[in-house]
Amino acid sequence: VPTFKLTIAYDGAAYAGWQAQPAVRTVQGTFEATLEKITGESVRVTASGRTDAGVHALGQVVSLVLSTSLPPDVLLRAFNAELPNDIAVLSAEIAVDGFHAIRDARRKRYRYLLHDGPVRSVLWRRYCWHLPYQLDEGAMHRAAQGLVGTHDYSSFETSGTERLTSIRTVFALSVTRRPTDELLSRADQDLPLVAVEIEADGFLYNMVRAIVGTLVEVGRGTQTEAWPAEVLAAGDRRAAGRTAPPQGLFLVEVQYDPPTKGG
Amino acid sequence: VPTFKLTIAYDGAAYAGWQAQPAVRTVQGTFEATLEKITGESVRVTASGRTDAGVHALGQVVSLVLSTSLPPDVLLRAFNAELPNDIAVLSAEIAVDGFHAIRDARRKRYRYLLHDGPVRSVLWRRYCWHLPYQLDEGAMHRAAQGLVGTHDYSSFETSGTERLTSIRTVFALSVTRRPTDELLSRADQDLPLVAVEIEADGFLYNMVRAIVGTLVEVGRGTQTEAWPAEVLAAGDRRAAGRTAPPQGLFLVEVQYDPPTKGG
């Protein structure tokens, strides 16, 4: 009975998040229905973590156990032939026995894209948060460094999910202006996006979006660069900025320990 | 009575093309309804040309005559506040009297994006044609040069629209592989796109999409580099490749003569 590790991507726009729920379209539900269609097996699949409604994934990792053996490349092609075109399997491999996409995850990296400019982009709008004022990405980056480290991130957590502790370690948090290629814009229509990249050993519910909403207050000049660290220290969600909308958020990568000898 | 020249962008996915038609959602219909909401005037707007269902515009040009004077920047902001978020006005100016977006257009530039790779991109899929095999963009570019010049492009025309002549001048036609920035992909998931750019004094119905469908046959190796020029010479639509799907096509730019003194 092989355990598979799949890396998948999805556009979250049409889904009520990852987790299967009755009567709504979710990525997990769609994925499991496709798996049943391919293999005839009704199997639960495990992702490294839930993503919320409207959030995208560039590299979500999924584990699943099938009772029949199947070459990974056959499984990959069968998935990509049967899945709707807003979900894709990027890679498939046999994992060590007992591999579990949640429990074994060590680090995750998220990206959040902001577009600051007077006119929205009709093509990028699905993948960023449009703000009609200029952001100071340097101030945002400096302010963000006060959120790096091992801390209680309660100030950046939307309540409602169970977890043992709200202490997490943020390894890196950067805010940079990224010139976009000109494929989806005109040469005379500059469209620089501001990217927030954050890597941690885990994330609380809505943590990235609350951090982004807080950093945006610094970027627009309504709060000081010292403020995000003060919000962190307050330990109170009401101290932080608003929750940034979902369409700008991407789960980029999930890191695991190198595989050890299978049992 | 001022004549306005507006440059607009739209995501064509949700529209049955530019041209207003009864009972379907079109860009023109949406635009005119918004204009009436803003100004109270029921006015017909003129675009440089129709775009088909699903085709995008990065820089469509529109002319319209209002009976009341209104500063262009006020009109721009009012449009962007009231339009759905898949249409945007990029710039607005007062044109010389009598300016007409179709009649006065001198050159147009279109872009077509192709993604050649084994797995579709869930985020780029809205803006490209995914082909599951590798394209030879150098062969496509060389073949494309046989289509440049002043010719009868009947072979690349879908019949059904009235026009005086099927002779057009293609000034430039390039096929290049364009590395995308990594904002919508992972660093380890290479996503090079092949861009076809074509500039002409005008285009027949479906001309760009028929040219792309023809060049793709060269790129995948099923036809020689000499073949597109032979298709052109045949003067027969049945000689050409298939019509590429709409979501990869963008109207990038429309060029006009420099404005002369207004009348």
Side-chain angles (χ1 to χ4, degrees), chain B residues 131-173:
Chain B
L131 299 166
Y133 40 77
Q134 177 95 21
L135 293 173
D136 179 344
E137 72 278 8
M140 291 170 72
H141 181 77
R142 290 187 296 273
Q145 303 320 303
L147 304 180
V148 175
T150 301
H151 302 285
D152 181 329
Y153 288 90
S154 301
S155 291
F156 302 104
E157 176 181 32
T158 302
S159 59
T161 39
E162 44 180 307
R163 76 286 180 283
L164 294 172
T165 168
S166 49
I167 294 175
R168 296 288 183 278
T169 298
V170 172
F171 301 107
L173 178 44

Side-chain angles (χ1 to χ4, degrees), chain B residues 66-228:
Chain B
L66 291 181
S67 63
T68 52
S69 193
L70 198 65
D73 61 317
V74 170
L75 188 64
L76 179 145
R77 282 198 301 272
F79 262 120
N80 287 332
E82 297 293 340
L83 283 166
N85 70 358
D86 51 6
I87 307 178
V89 177
L90 304 177
S91 66
E93 59 187 286
I94 306 268
V96 294
D97 281 352
F99 171 74
H100 189 278
I102 298 177
R103 198 190 50 225
D104 298 341
R106 292 293 167 264
R107 292 184 179 207
K108 287 186 201 176
R109 189 155 57 89
Y110 277 93
R111 176 179 303 152
Y112 196 98
L113 295 182
L114 299 155
H115 170 218
D116 59 331
V119 178
R120 64 179 166 267
S121 164
V122 296
L123 300 180
W124 278 94
R125 79 196 143 85
R126 300 176 186 278
Y127 305 125
C128 64
W129 182 17
H130 175 233
L131 299 166
Y133 40 77
Q134 177 95 21
L135 293 173
D136 179 344
E137 72 278 8
M140 291 170 72
H141 181 77
R142 290 187 296 273
Q145 303 320 303
L147 304 180
V148 175
T150 301
H151 302 285
D152 181 329
Y153 288 90
S154 301
S155 291
F156 302 104
E157 176 181 32
T158 302
S159 59
T161 39
E162 44 180 307
R163 76 286 180 283
L164 294 172
T165 168
S166 49
I167 294 175
R168 296 288 183 278
T169 298
V170 172
F171 301 107
L173 178 44
S174 69
V175 183
T176 51
R177 191 168 292 274
R178 302 268 285 258
T180 57
D181 51 55
E182 288 166 358
L183 293 174
L184 296 186
S185 59
R186 279 152 47 109
D188 63 337
Q189 293 284 338
D190 205 25
L191 185 77
L193 298 174
V194 173
V196 179
E197 298 252 358
I198 179 165
E199 187 167 320
D201 62 352
F203 292 88
L204 303 172
Y205 186 49
N206 273 345
M207 180 169 151
V208 179
R209 291 162 61 187
I211 287 175
V212 169
T214 299
L215 293 176
V216 158
E217 296 301 316
V218 176
R220 70 187 295 190
T222 52
Q223 296 286 355
T224 66
E225 292 180 25
W227 180 64

Side-chain angles (χ1 to χ4, degrees), chain A residues 149-222:
Chain A
T150 302
H151 301 286
D152 181 329
Y153 288 91
S154 302
S155 292
F156 302 104
E157 175 181 32
T158 301
S159 59
T161 39
E162 45 180 308
R163 77 285 180 285
L164 294 171
T165 168
S166 48
I167 294 175
R168 296 288 184 277
T169 298
V170 171
F171 300 109
L173 178 44
S174 70
V175 182
T176 51
R177 190 168 291 274
R178 303 266 284 259
T180 56
D181 51 54
E182 288 166 358
L183 293 174
L184 297 186
S185 58
R186 280 153 45 111
D188 63 338
Q189 293 285 337
D190 205 25
L191 186 77
L193 298 175
V194 173
V196 180
E197 298 253 358
I198 179 165
E199 187 167 320
D201 61 354
F203 291 89
L204 303 172
Y205 184 50
N206 272 346
M207 180 169 150
V208 179
R209 291 162 59 188
I211 287 175
V212 170
T214 300
L215 293 176
V216 158
E217 295 300 317
V218 177
R220 67 186 296 191
T222 52

Side-chain angles (χ1 to χ4, degrees), chain A residues 12 18 35 42 55 59 92 97 109 126 134 177 193 195 225 241 248:
Chain A
W18 165 262
L35 183 61
S42 177
V55 173
D97 282 353
R109 189 154 57 89
R126 300 176 186 278
Q134 176 96 22
R177 190 168 291 274
L193 298 175
E225 292 180 24

